């Protein structure tokens, strides 16, 4: 991982498979997948960095742009929902928007995975968050900018 201090002002960190941005106007953190698959170890690194930035910038809104992902990894998704979101919630994150790839199989896999996780973890903090899907990154940012 490389922290960027010059170049695009909103870029906060770059990994092999993802970039982390801060949209300063609305104070929204964005993770953009850069490849078709994110290894579990790097996935956790990316989201640990997001948690640091949630604290540093007092972020309450987040977008996960998954459009380049092609492979769905259930253990990563479970960690993301049950561990990362619990921590992020405790740090102040309340609103999440996700932009999925157009791939119908990927979307269906996500839907099945989320249903399984919700059934197994009814007390998890993600159930207290406003989590929705957006068609584009632009739509997600527009919607989040309108929330207080």
């Amino acid at each position: 991982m490389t922290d960027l201090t010059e170049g695009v002002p909103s870029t906060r960190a770059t990994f092999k498979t993802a970039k982390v941005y801060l949209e300063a106007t609305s104070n929204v953190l964005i993770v953009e997948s850069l490849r078709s698959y994110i290894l579990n170890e790097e996935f956790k690194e990316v989201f640990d960095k997001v948690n640091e930035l949630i604290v540093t910038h007092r972020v309450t809104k987040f977008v996960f742009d998954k459009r380049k992902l092609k492979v769905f990894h259930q253990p990563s998704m479970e960690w993301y929902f049950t561990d990362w979101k619990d921590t992020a919630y405790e740090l102040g994150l309340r609103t999440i928007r996700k932009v999925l790839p157009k791939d119908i199989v990927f979307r269906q896999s996500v839907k099945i995975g989320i249903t399984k996780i919700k059934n197994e973890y009814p007390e998890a903090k993600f159930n207290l968050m406003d989590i929705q899907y957006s068609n584009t990154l632009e739509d997600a940012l527009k919607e989040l900018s309108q929330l207080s």
Side-chain angles (χ1 to χ4, degrees):
M1 180 201 75
T2 306
D3 282 326
L4 298 181
T5 55
E6 51 186 290
V8 180
S10 63
T11 303
R12 297 296 178 224
T14 301
F15 297 81
K16 202 183 313 182
T17 57
K19 272 191 180 180
V20 181
Y21 300 91
L22 178 66
E23 198 290 306
T25 307
S26 302
N27 204 37
V28 176
L29 276 172
I30 303 161
V31 168
E32 175 192 13
S33 60
L34 300 175
R35 298 202 179 158
S36 62
Y37 182 74
I38 302 174
L39 294 172
N40 194 34
E41 284 179 24
E42 185 162 322
F43 187 81
K44 289 179 179 182
E45 263 186 72
V46 169
F47 284 91
D48 285 344
K49 181 64 176 179
V50 169
N51 281 346
E52 287 176 30
L53 294 167
I54 288 170
V55 172
T56 303
H57 298 283
R58 297 183 180 162
V59 171
T60 61
K61 299 175 272 186
F62 172 71
V63 177
F64 189 5
D65 181 351
K66 304 177 182 186
R67 288 177 292 176
K68 291 191 179 156
L69 291 177
K70 302 244 185 279
V71 178
F72 175 82
H73 185 247
Q74 181 66 28
S76 292
M77 183 177 184
E78 193 164 324
W79 174 86
Y80 169 72
F81 266 84
T82 60
D83 290 59
W84 181 78
K85 285 183 182 174
D86 276 7
T87 301
Y89 183 86
E90 295 301 325
L91 296 174
L93 189 69
R94 295 294 182 269
T95 309
I96 298 175
R97 294 297 178 266
K98 300 176 186 184
V99 184
L100 295 176
K102 301 288 183 210
D103 182 323
I104 294 169
V105 173
F106 185 95
R107 288 174 174 254
Q108 188 62 30
S109 295
V110 167
K111 187 176 179 179
I112 291 167
I114 290 171
T115 300
K116 177 182 179 285
I117 292 168
K118 282 183 176 183
N119 289 335
E120 291 179 13
Y121 300 94
E123 302 299 318
K125 300 283 189 221
F126 70 83
N127 291 301
L128 303 174
M129 300 171 114
D130 172 7
I131 302 171
Q132 298 178 40
Y133 294 93
S134 298
N135 290 322
T136 66
L137 179 58
E138 294 76 17
D139 288 348
L141 291 173
K142 182 178 178 184
E143 182 181 333
L144 292 176
S145 73
Q146 295 170 353
L147 299 175
S148 56

